[in-house]
Structures are given as C-alpha cells and as structure tokens.
Amino acid sequence: GAPCKAIVNVGDLVKVGQKIGEQQGYISCNVHSSVSGKVKAIKQHEVSGGSSLCIIIENDFKGELHESVKPKGNLEDLSKDEIIEIIKEAGIVGMGGATFPSHVKLSPPPDANIDTVILNGAECEPYLTADHRLMIENPEDVVFGLKVLMKVLNVKKGFIGIEANKPDA
C-alpha cells in the first residue's frame, strides 16, 4: 500500500490517539500515537522485513488522551458511509502481516453478493491467545464489532468462529 505522511514534527508533544500520520492513498491508513509524550525522531526504520517511515515518541507515561478520542455516536444512528469514515479516520487495519486497511475491506464492489459476516476467532499458532482472551474478557466488544460489520455490509447473518478446544469462549 501507499505510505503515510508524518503530520507532526520533532519536538511536538502528542497524546494517546492523536493522528500523527496521514494516509497518502486509498490502500493506506492513518496512524495514531499509542502513547503521550514528545516526538524524538521521524525516520526510516526496519519493520517486518522491510523499511518504513517511523515516528519515534518518548513516552511520558501520563497516558493523556487526545480530545479526538471520544464516542462517534450510536450505531443505530450512523450510516454505512459514516461508519466507514470513522474506521478510515481511526486507521483500523487487519492484523495479518500486510495490515490491510479495513475501510478498503468494507467497501466491496456494488455488485458483490455478501450475505454473511464471519469473525475469525481461531488463532493460527498453538501459543497465540489474543483472540481467545478477547472473547473471554470483552465478549460485548466482539459482538458489537460484529454488529458494526453487519451494518456496514448490510447483512443479516453474522458468525464468530471459535476453535473447538476453546469452549469457554
């Protein structure tokens, strides 16, 4: 995909959730700070077998939230396009190695015939437990996420795939 452009400068103070990188193409995504602190550098850095522009932030450990981190409305009141824009602005991407932008995944061709959404809650490696823990500790969030996807894709059926050896999920 296309790279993103840094929209902060060295020396800037940033907060958690603040947009620090702006998408530069359709197959691209915004990037937000995961910590509050001071931007120390903006440089190319080795990541996942390649190189990418990285914004290095010195964590101040205050965890101050940016004012843009707030609810965007009730799901029932939001349109498909508004939800996709929220996802796009938030920089939400797939968790696979390609980090494919979710707003692209949720914009199928108009003639696509989609009738079901399946959330994959099965980990691909024996010692991975992130999906399992999320389903146990935050099941309401998982179900809400499924409802969001179902609304965006205008489908009536949604399933959560859970491994047979994870009955507690």
Side-chain angles (χ1 to χ4, degrees), residues 14-79:
V14 297
K15 296 179 179 178
V16 175
Q18 180 176 340
K19 185 168 37 169
I20 58 175
E22 193 163 68
Q23 72 180 86
Q24 295 297 292
Y26 184 62
I27 310 294
S28 180
C29 63
N30 294 321
V31 177
H32 299 77
S33 180
S34 60
V35 298
S36 60
K38 187 175 189 177
V39 176
K40 298 302 278 185
I42 301 172
K43 62 182 182 177
Q44 287 294 121
H45 199 285
E46 294 295 317
V47 290
S48 302
S51 178
S52 185
L53 182 65
C54 293
I55 299 171
I56 313 301
I57 300 170
E58 182 177 57
N59 190 346
D60 65 11
F61 297 99
K62 294 179 183 175
E64 293 181 76
L65 282 179
H66 190 261
E67 52 273 6
S68 65
V69 179
K70 60 185 177 189
K72 308 297 185 205
N74 293 321
L75 179 59
E76 299 78 28
D77 300 330
L78 296 169
S79 71

